[in-house]
Amino acid sequence: MSRLDPGVLREAWNTDYRKRGALYGGAPFQLPDLPRETCVLDLGCGNGKHLPAMEGRGWAITGIDAAEEAVRLCKRKRVHLIIGDGRHLPFREEVFGAVIGIHILGHLTEEDRPLLIGEVKRVLGEGGVFHCTVFSRNDMRCGKGEEVEAFTFSRQGIITHYFTEEELRTLGEPFEEICITTESYQVRLSGKLYTREYLHAVFSR
C-alpha cells in the first residue's frame, strides 16, 4: 500500500481529530459575497470552523468531509452534513451555486487534485463559482516534513502541497474564468517573524 494511499491519508485525519478534537478554531476566513438562499457546498468542511459564519449569510449549506471524526464534531443543526470523497462527490450535476474549498485542494495528491476540480465543475450550476484557498510556496511551513511529492510535505501522515499561482491557474483551466489573489502576513513565534501566505482562487463556470 502506497504511503499516499487515500485511505491511509483519510485515517491520518481521523487519528488527528480523535486525539485533538476540534483542530481548527479562531476566526473564519473571509467568505464570498453570495445571495441569500444560494446552495453552497463546504468542501472539506472539517470540524465546521466556517459553518456558523456561512449559516449567518442565509445560505442553504451542505458540508462534506472524508474524515468521519471531523463530521462528527461539526454538530450543526441547519447544515446537511455528509461523509464523502471530494474526488467522487455524491451529488447530481449542477446542483450548487457555489463551492467553497478552504485548504482542501492542497491536502490531495498530484493525481487527485484534477479529479476534485472536475467534480466541482460538474456539481456547479451555470454561472456557479468555486472559491478555493491554498498555501503558497512562500508560506513558512513549505519545506517542513517529509517531501512525498514535489512541494508536497507529510507531517504526522497529513500531506500539504504548496502552490505557485501558475500551478493553481493550470488546475483551474476547465473553468471559464479564473481570478487569483495573494494574502500574506507576518506572525511572530519565539521572537522571530515568519510569513504566512495563501492563494485565493475564484473559478467561475
Side-chain angles (χ1 to χ4, degrees):
M1 181 178 295
S2 167
R3 62 188 170 184
L4 295 181
D5 180 272
V8 173
L9 298 175
R10 181 176 63 252
E11 189 50 37
W13 282 106
N14 278 322
T15 297
D16 225 15
Y17 279 110
R18 279 193 292 267
K19 287 169 57 178
R20 297 198 282 161
L23 294 179
Y24 303 106
F29 276 52
Q30 183 175 352
L31 297 174
D33 185 15
L34 301 170
R36 292 183 66 84
E37 300 184 4
T38 299
C39 290
V40 175
L41 176 63
D42 184 3
L43 181 58
C45 63
N47 56 261
K49 170 181 174 178
H50 299 89
L51 289 176
M54 290 184 186
E55 288 179 275
R57 299 294 184 93
W59 302 337
I61 308 158
T62 298
I64 187 169
D65 201 285
E68 54 265 31
E69 290 294 328
V71 174
R72 182 181 62 82
L73 290 166
C74 281
K75 299 178 181 177
R76 307 305 306 175
K77 293 182 179 179
R78 293 180 292 173
V79 176
H80 184 207
L81 295 169
I82 297 175
I83 298 167
D85 188 338
R87 302 168 305 159
H88 309 287
L89 291 172
F91 309 111
R92 292 179 288 107
E93 295 182 1
E94 301 186 9
V95 293
F96 294 102
V99 175
I100 298 176
I102 300 173
H103 294 310
I104 174 66
L105 195 60
H107 291 310
L108 298 176
T109 65
E110 181 179 9
E111 179 182 5
D112 287 337
R113 292 192 287 270
L115 297 179
L116 181 137
I117 290 288
E119 279 292 271
V120 168
K121 184 179 180 185
R122 182 183 67 81
V123 302
L124 277 172
E126 185 176 352
V129 288
F130 177 33
H131 293 265
C132 174
T133 301
V134 297
F135 286 110
S136 159
R137 288 188 190 170
N138 292 325
D139 187 78
M140 60 180 280
R141 288 188 179 145
C142 183
K144 303 292 193 281
E146 177 190 4
E147 188 170 27
V148 292
E149 292 181 344
F151 292 97
T152 302
F153 300 90
S154 175
R155 295 188 296 275
Q156 297 181 327
I158 293 172
I159 65 168
T160 304
H161 182 73
Y162 297 84
F163 290 82
T164 64
E165 181 176 332
E166 179 182 1
E167 182 182 17
L168 189 55
R169 192 175 296 279
T170 298
L171 270 172
E173 284 179 352
F175 288 85
E176 298 297 322
E177 296 182 16
I178 302 170
C179 177
I180 299 175
T181 57
T182 302
E183 178 183 346
S184 182
Y185 59 92
Q186 300 288 305
V187 295
R188 186 178 297 275
L189 299 172
S190 301
K192 295 182 179 180
L193 286 175
Y194 297 90
T195 298
R196 302 308 322 259
E197 188 166 290
Y198 311 101
L199 298 174
H200 301 284
V202 179
F203 302 133
S204 302
R205 189 178 184 280

